[in-house]
Amino acid sequence: MPDQVNADAFLPDRELDATHLTFVRMVRAFAADKLLPHARRIDEECEFRRDAVRELAAAGLLGGPIATEFGGQAWSPMQIALANEEVGAVCANTRGFMAVQTGLVAQCIERFGDAAQKKAWLGKLCAGAAIGCFALTEENAGSDVAALACHARRAGDGYTLHGHKIWITNGGVADVAIVFATIDKTRGRDGITAFLVPTARAGLSRARMPGKEMGHRGSDHAALTFADFAASAHEVLGGEGQGFKVAMGGLNAGRLSVAAGAVGIHRAALAASLAFTTTRQQFGKPIAHFQMVQERLADMAVALHAARALVWRCAGLRAKGHETPSDLAVAKLFATEAAARAADVAIQLHGGRGYTSAYPVERLLRDVTALRIYEGTSMIQKTIVARGLTTT
């Protein structure tokens, strides 16, 4: 008889109080019912699944952290972490959509927007009636945000935007965009301004990014080109020259969800490895009985618990208002790198089967690779941690 797999080895349930346990099981049931049946297909067919937007909204997952007065659920930071782990364990594409829609876009509007901007967009974003994107990255402005070339020229009472953005998640399907442009490049980061604009306006052209992504193939990744794109003064988000602050606020919000999503992928890799190694027979017994396999399973489990603990630590600090960029960087760095190692080991434990899309582990490795890049590469996270240690 094969070994019985101990679910406590990879699920967070045993450590949760009754309220959080109920919440986790709700999100887990949603992910199993609505997302799991499509996760493999949308990856293989490179399909952005619009039905998932409606389903997420109906379940209250799109407006999770947003205040109830704007149509959200007022989740705590811990609930944000738990939801992203559960969705990330099933479908990285959907978790990535949630992170952009809710973290980078809706939470930025809630934090930096004026009353009119909040009224115009937050309800629609929470209800899935509008899709948002965060148009920051450029050809020569990735980690170096202050180097962006997209510029905004004053035109009457407003501005015209000119420039090119790449790798904008949701960019091809978005109804509203937070666009970052400089009003004066000589001012560096102090010239960067954020604009909250509808995309159905003359002067914007969109195209799918060329090539085929390594992972997150069920996501929409687009290049956006702005040419004489008009933006009014009322569409400035957070104030003129405050765009760098808006961008960093959005990225910090997103890093918690990315780290929690990596915990989800890590958990899925461990669960798949346990299921496979306890049933796969070699030399007359399950391969989970072999010491070298046990060592790898143990390492995966220890790293999973450590990564989750760092994510929960950040959630606790955020709830108290004590979170720092270094805290987030530690969690994102450790969780994403640990998940990448776990996914790689999972493929090795599956042998030849791990090399095919008939099993989920090869997709886990492809998807987690992006999490080591999104919202700041692992190298950038190390820089943030080091600065936190050496700057008083």
Side-chain angles (χ1 to χ4, degrees):
M1 292 290 292
D3 294 347
Q4 293 294 313
V5 173
N6 178 11
D8 284 346
F10 53 87
L11 295 179
D13 300 21
R14 188 163 48 92
E15 302 173 60
L16 298 174
D17 59 30
T19 300
H20 284 113
L21 184 57
T22 299
F23 175 80
V24 154
R25 288 176 174 170
M26 178 276 290
V27 180
R28 188 178 300 155
F30 168 84
D33 181 43
K34 299 296 186 181
L35 305 181
L36 184 59
H38 306 282
R40 176 180 171 186
R41 179 184 61 79
I42 63 173
D43 174 76
E44 293 188 343
E45 298 179 8
C46 300
E47 175 194 336
F48 174 78
R49 184 171 166 266
R50 283 185 172 269
D51 283 349
V53 180
R54 173 182 54 80
E55 293 162 357
L56 288 164
L61 300 184
L62 282 189
I66 305 303
T68 55
E69 64 182 291
F70 301 120
Q73 304 291 318
W75 284 353
S76 68
M78 183 65 167
Q79 287 175 301
I80 296 172
L82 292 171
N84 277 276
E85 176 179 337
E86 293 301 324
V87 175
V90 172
C91 181
N93 291 291
T94 305
R95 193 219 59 81
F97 172 83
M98 284 174 54
V100 173
Q101 177 88 349
T102 304
L104 294 182
V105 180
Q107 284 187 278
C108 265
I109 296 172
E110 184 178 38
R111 179 177 175 186
F112 298 103
D114 59 31
Q117 291 168 331
K118 293 176 185 179
K119 182 178 179 180
W121 291 112
L122 285 180
K124 292 179 181 179
L125 291 166
C126 292
I131 293 174
C133 71
F134 193 79
L136 177 63
T137 304
E138 299 180 6
E139 188 70 37
N140 294 309
S143 298
D144 184 7
V145 173
L148 61 81
C150 184
H151 60 279
R153 294 176 182 164
R154 289 185 177 86
D157 294 334
Y159 307 81
T160 57
L161 273 58
H162 305 260
H164 189 64
K165 302 289 184 178
I166 60 172
W167 286 114
I168 307 304
T169 303
N170 300 348
V173 296
D175 303 290
V176 62
I178 299 178
V179 184
F180 295 87
T182 182
I183 58 171
D184 185 350
K185 196 167 179 62
T186 64
R187 290 169 56 185
R189 66 177 60 181
D190 292 332
I192 298 173
T193 301
F195 297 86
L196 179 65
V197 293
T199 57
R201 183 177 289 177
L204 171 62
S205 59
R206 304 189 263 191
R208 186 175 178 86
M209 289 300 298
K212 187 173 184 179
E213 300 93 328
M214 178 180 179
H216 286 73
R217 293 176 176 173
S219 299
D220 178 86
H221 299 126
L224 311 181
T225 300
F226 297 88
D228 289 320
F229 182 94
S232 75
H234 299 295
E235 291 173 327
V236 172
L237 180 66
E240 190 176 279
Q242 298 299 306
F244 186 83
K245 180 179 178 180
V246 174
M248 293 303 103
L251 294 175
N252 282 338
R255 281 170 185 156
L256 178 63
S257 65
V258 170
V263 173
I265 288 178
H266 192 150
R267 178 179 115 189
L270 177 57
S273 297
L274 286 168
F276 184 80
T277 61
T278 54
T279 55
R280 169 66 168 159
Q281 297 265 339
Q282 288 287 273
F283 306 103
K285 58 184 177 181
I287 63 172
H289 287 187
F290 291 100
Q291 198 168 27
M292 291 183 69
V293 172
Q294 291 176 339
E295 178 191 29
R296 283 154 178 77
L297 293 173
D299 286 344
M300 292 167 74
V302 170
L304 173 63
H305 288 300
R308 184 182 285 138
L310 287 170
V311 170
W312 288 11
R313 172 179 177 269
C314 274
L317 289 171
R318 179 173 294 184
K320 297 174 182 177
H322 296 161
E323 176 191 69
T324 69
S326 291
D327 296 321
L328 280 166
V330 168
K332 182 185 183 293
L333 174 64
F334 186 90
T336 55
E337 292 295 329
R341 290 192 298 271
D344 180 64
V345 169
I347 290 176
Q348 297 297 320
L349 293 176
H350 279 69
R353 292 166 177 81
Y355 201 61
T356 169
S357 63
Y359 287 75
V361 290
E362 62 87 28
R363 173 163 51 89
L364 298 178
L365 181 60
R366 289 189 288 105
D367 284 342
V368 77
T369 299
L371 301 189
R372 301 166 68 206
I373 301 171
Y374 289 171
E375 270 84 321
T377 65
S378 290
M379 290 82 81
I380 288 296
Q381 304 313 310
K382 290 182 179 181
T383 299
I384 294 169
V385 173
R387 284 177 180 168
L389 294 171
T390 58
T391 302
T392 57

